[in-house]
Amino acid sequence: MMRALRLSIWFVILTVLLGSRAQAVTLRYALVIGNNQGTDQDGSQPFPTLKHAEREARKLHQTLSDFSNLDASSTRSILLTGTTRAKVQEAIARLAAQKAKDLKALESAKTLFAIFFTGHGLSGRLLLKDGALSGKELGELFTSMDADLTLGFFDACYSGSIKPQVLMQKGIELSPGNIFQALPDQVLNAEGTVWFASSGDRQVSYEDRKLGGVFTHFFTEAIVQAKREGPGITLENIWHYARNRTVSYTADRGRRQVPQQLINLKSTGPMYFSFPLDRSARLEFASSVEGEFLLSYADGQLIERIHKAKGTQKTLAVYPGPARLMVIRSGQIYLQENLDFQADRKISL
């Protein structure tokens, strides 16, 4: 059977469990955007350049790769900093093409698409380097991906040095983070929608001198530190952690900011979004083994796709606990076996 080995992961995917026996695979795609500089649709730059948004985007992308099993490669998750409208459109086209390719290879899969944005925003618009992305255009990005579940995270920050009273005197409408009302109804009402905005319609989203974008900071922190339930941390717990700490932190400094959420799900159940566990167990394959496999943890909450070539000995570090190994042929599950991984021990097949 299997000797000391090491498996190469083709890509890692998260499933959304909407029932205790669900085994559907959900392929994940994401676009993470961070812009320090924001230009409005008329070419003006109404706010000073931010100091932390691009750094925060890089940190968030890395954290998602490390703990939320977001594909670290640029084929299924794309990081853009200091970006333009054209580059955003190009990134969406690349993700949509990869999604079509993946669905052809695995016919039974569902899909999740997420956009994470940190930067300047104004009156339902997200400000990029060369112009604004309107709510309608943002809705078109989600529609073009045609995912079963969409996740949106929008931290559209004013600089922490700007006072709300000054902005109001200049006739600027204070709705930087909450873009929900500007989005098309067919997008807002789509089944499988979970979106977070950093502030209410009439509130400023702050860039703190110490933390950077407050909501982004606590959301990134929550991916690792929010309350764990079962095999990981649910998106709900991440939301409550980030929201509560954002409210508390800004209120203590006289700058109250209350993040908003929109949820429209067809089914209910825990959505595990982060897995800050140690991969302390090992799965070993013999050199004679070859093929495509899915390794499913906790009744399909987390699924990894594995490619094993014949003639090589490889080892995969895995999470301890119950799991299910599935053999894939022609895009379908051919065989499956239940396994129970123990910390600091290996299973050889």
Side-chain angles (χ1 to χ4, degrees), residues 121-293:
L122 181 62
S123 302
R125 302 187 297 279
L126 303 179
L127 306 189
L128 303 177
K129 187 175 182 179
D130 64 344
L133 190 66
S134 69
K136 181 177 182 297
E137 290 172 318
L138 183 62
E140 290 171 352
L141 298 183
F142 281 105
T143 300
S144 66
M145 285 297 296
D146 192 25
D148 299 288
L149 176 66
T150 62
L151 169 62
F153 174 91
F154 310 106
D155 190 348
C157 309
Y158 291 121
S159 173
S161 63
I162 301 177
K163 302 298 183 183
Q165 294 81 1
V166 174
L167 295 175
M168 283 189 249
Q169 290 172 1
K170 294 182 179 180
I172 297 177
E173 182 181 355
L174 300 181
S175 58
N178 193 336
I179 59 168
F180 294 156
Q181 294 181 351
L183 289 167
D185 288 340
Q186 64 267 28
V187 177
L188 288 176
N189 297 327
E191 296 180 346
T193 301
V194 181
W195 290 354
F196 303 138
S198 57
S199 60
D201 288 345
R202 304 288 298 176
Q203 290 182 330
V204 172
S205 297
Y206 292 103
E207 180 178 77
D208 183 76
R209 290 183 178 88
K210 179 181 179 181
L211 303 184
V214 178
F215 189 44
T216 300
H217 171 84
F218 286 118
F219 185 89
T220 304
E221 186 176 277
I223 292 172
V224 182
Q225 298 188 20
K227 181 181 178 181
R228 185 187 303 170
E229 294 181 359
I233 301 176
T234 65
L235 190 58
E236 180 180 6
N237 285 354
I238 291 173
W239 156 253
H240 286 300
Y241 182 105
R243 179 190 182 278
N244 293 342
R245 280 161 177 74
T246 297
V247 171
S248 177
Y249 188 90
T250 56
D252 288 346
R253 289 154 181 78
R255 297 176 170 182
R256 184 171 174 80
Q257 176 183 332
V258 183
Q260 309 292 309
Q261 68 172 334
L262 182 149
I263 299 177
N264 184 24
L265 296 174
K266 181 178 181 180
S267 303
T268 59
M271 183 190 302
Y272 287 96
F273 191 71
S274 176
F275 297 83
L277 307 173
D278 291 331
R279 289 178 175 267
S280 57
R282 289 178 296 160
L283 175 62
E284 298 187 341
F285 286 82
S287 60
S288 58
V289 173
E290 64 178 329
E292 302 287 337
F293 304 88

Side-chain angles (χ1 to χ4, degrees), residues 35-198:
N35 266 40
N36 287 336
Q37 182 181 350
T39 301
D40 204 358
Q41 54 194 10
D42 61 358
S44 65
Q45 295 182 0
F47 308 114
T49 299
L50 294 167
K51 298 181 181 300
H52 304 289
E54 294 176 15
R55 171 186 61 81
E56 292 164 354
R58 287 189 287 267
K59 182 178 180 180
L60 175 58
H61 184 262
Q62 186 62 56
T63 302
L64 290 167
S65 299
D66 290 343
F67 299 103
S68 293
N69 291 310
L70 188 71
D71 188 353
S73 72
S74 60
T75 56
R76 296 175 183 84
S77 67
I78 297 176
L79 169 66
L80 297 177
T81 57
T83 195
T84 63
R85 289 166 48 86
K87 288 183 179 179
V88 169
Q89 296 288 349
E90 291 171 4
I92 293 296
R94 286 162 51 197
L95 291 173
Q98 184 64 55
K99 169 176 168 280
K101 180 179 179 181
D102 292 342
L103 288 177
K104 184 177 180 180
L106 194 64
E107 298 175 357
S108 61
K110 298 292 185 180
T111 56
L112 178 152
F113 172 60
I115 290 181
F116 299 87
F117 176 89
T118 178
H120 277 307
L122 181 62
S123 302
R125 302 187 297 279
L126 303 179
L127 306 189
L128 303 177
K129 187 175 182 179
D130 64 344
L133 190 66
S134 69
K136 181 177 182 297
E137 290 172 318
L138 183 62
E140 290 171 352
L141 298 183
F142 281 105
T143 300
S144 66
M145 285 297 296
D146 192 25
D148 299 288
L149 176 66
T150 62
L151 169 62
F153 174 91
F154 310 106
D155 190 348
C157 309
Y158 291 121
S159 173
S161 63
I162 301 177
K163 302 298 183 183
Q165 294 81 1
V166 174
L167 295 175
M168 283 189 249
Q169 290 172 1
K170 294 182 179 180
I172 297 177
E173 182 181 355
L174 300 181
S175 58
N178 193 336
I179 59 168
F180 294 156
Q181 294 181 351
L183 289 167
D185 288 340
Q186 64 267 28
V187 177
L188 288 176
N189 297 327
E191 296 180 346
T193 301
V194 181
W195 290 354
F196 303 138
S198 57

